[in-house]
């Protein structure tokens, strides 16, 4: 506790030398790191994670390979950041959709829209997951175990909603929930290979079209079951 008496003079703020400069430098370092992650993500998506070297990432950024190690200790650290950023965003938004307590059809429609909405901001990450999933999972240690954990959580979310819809009579009871989810999942993520921003449909329009086909079907008239 300060026991000195107040002299009556106005307190003069203590100016800490270099604080602003350090904050600016810190902000610049963070921005530089984000820039490097985006450059690397594009290379991973274009060439594949395995085929992309640290030297190529550095050359793309216009720096020396050694300078890259000031920001990241390995190529794996960079792809880690690419994938966790995507998965944190995706899973977080799925959880928020489930918390809305809507009926299964409403929730699944929202989850479809969430999935398609990631195609632009996370295009590189989605491509890397499709192309390099097996390789990353084969690496020694448990570094990429979170990929399977995230996949399992997302699958559980979808399958539970499909089952809820079946129990409520909203969805057909003769379809397999897990298989249905996986077909929906693959439709969304494979779209990253052919969807191009600026085309006839944006991601919202793409999602609306898919929701229509998913819930209203393609055929008209009475539903018929045809088995080969």
């Amino acid at each position: 506790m300060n026991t000195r008496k107040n002299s009556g003079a106005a307190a003069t703020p203590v100016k800490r030398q270099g604080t602003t400069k350090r904050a600016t430098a810190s902000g610049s370092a963070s921005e530089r790191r984000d820039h490097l992650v985006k450059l690397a993500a594009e290379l991973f998506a274009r060439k594949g994670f395995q085929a992309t070297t640290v030297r190529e990432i550095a050359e793309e950024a216009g720096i020396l390979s050694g300078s890259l190690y000031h920001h990241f200790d390995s190529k794996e650290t960079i792809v880690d950041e690419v994938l966790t950023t995507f998965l944190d965003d995706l899973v977080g938004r799925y959880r928020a959709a489930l918390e809305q307590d809507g009926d299964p059809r409403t929730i699944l429609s929202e989850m479809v829209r969430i999935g398609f909405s990631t195609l632009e901001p996370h295009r590189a990450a989605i491509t890397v997951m499709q192309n390099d999933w097996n390789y990353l999972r084969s690496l020694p240690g448990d570094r990429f175990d979170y990929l399977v954990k995230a996949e399992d959580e997302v699958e559980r979310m979808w399958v539970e909603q499909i089952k809820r819809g079946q129990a409520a009579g909203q969805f057909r009871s003769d379809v397999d929930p897990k298989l249905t989810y996986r077909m929906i999942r693959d439709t969304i993520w494979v779209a990253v290979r052919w969807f191009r921003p600026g085309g006839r449909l944006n991601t919202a329009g793409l999602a609306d079209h898919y929701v229509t086909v998913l819930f209203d079907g393609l055929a008209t008239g009475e539903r018929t079951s045809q088995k080969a």
Side-chain angles (χ1 to χ4, degrees):
M1 186 174 78
N2 189 342
T3 57
R4 291 181 297 176
K5 294 182 180 180
N6 192 329
S7 64
T12 302
V14 177
K15 185 175 181 180
R16 297 178 178 176
Q17 298 293 331
T19 301
T20 302
K21 185 176 182 179
R22 284 197 300 272
T24 302
S26 176
S28 298
S30 177
E31 291 173 2
R32 183 60 171 164
R33 180 185 175 89
D34 290 344
H35 178 64
L36 291 172
V37 169
K38 290 178 181 178
L39 286 179
E42 291 300 323
L43 281 174
F44 294 154
R46 187 165 69 245
K47 296 191 61 177
F49 175 74
Q50 286 180 267
T52 302
T53 66
V54 169
R55 175 175 293 182
E56 287 172 329
I57 297 171
E59 288 177 352
E60 188 78 8
I63 60 177
L64 297 175
S65 298
S67 300
L68 193 64
Y69 287 108
H70 288 300
H71 301 276
F72 308 98
D73 59 6
S74 68
K75 190 173 67 168
E76 287 73 21
T77 298
I78 304 176
V79 79
D80 240 341
E81 193 156 329
V82 173
L83 298 180
T84 55
T85 298
F86 163 57
L87 290 172
D88 287 348
D89 180 37
L90 179 70
V91 174
R93 292 171 67 189
Y94 278 164
R95 289 171 180 166
L98 295 178
E99 291 172 359
Q100 294 175 3
D101 291 328
D103 64 85
R105 175 167 175 159
T106 300
I107 291 176
L108 284 187
S109 296
E110 178 60 19
M111 292 175 77
V112 167
R113 292 187 172 91
I114 289 169
F116 276 109
S117 73
T118 65
L119 293 180
E120 287 192 63
H122 297 295
R123 182 191 60 79
I126 296 168
T127 303
V128 171
M129 286 191 67
Q130 288 190 8
N131 295 339
D132 295 293
W133 174 278
N134 289 334
Y135 173 73
L136 294 173
R137 289 287 298 116
S138 72
L139 293 176
D142 58 2
R143 180 168 198 153
F144 292 99
D145 282 359
Y146 67 86
L147 295 176
V148 174
K149 292 178 181 178
E151 181 186 45
D152 288 346
E153 180 178 0
V154 169
E155 181 172 291
R156 177 184 55 77
M157 292 178 185
W158 279 86
V159 170
E160 285 181 357
Q161 290 308 307
I162 294 171
K163 289 181 176 179
R164 277 188 63 216
Q166 289 176 321
Q170 283 191 313
F171 304 150
R172 292 172 52 173
S173 60
D174 61 341
V175 296
D176 181 86
K178 182 176 289 189
L179 178 60
T180 301
Y181 155 67
R182 290 182 175 180
M183 293 176 75
I184 294 171
R185 175 200 64 190
D186 292 350
T187 298
I188 294 172
W189 300 141
V190 170
V192 77
R193 299 186 182 278
W194 53 263
F195 172 75
R196 293 294 178 269
R200 182 172 61 88
L201 288 177
N202 57 18
T203 54
L206 199 61
D208 288 341
H209 181 83
Y210 184 69
V211 167
T212 298
V213 174
L214 178 64
F215 290 121
D216 299 333
L218 184 63
T220 59
E222 294 183 6
R223 189 179 72 220
T224 59
S225 177
Q226 295 182 349
K227 295 183 179 180

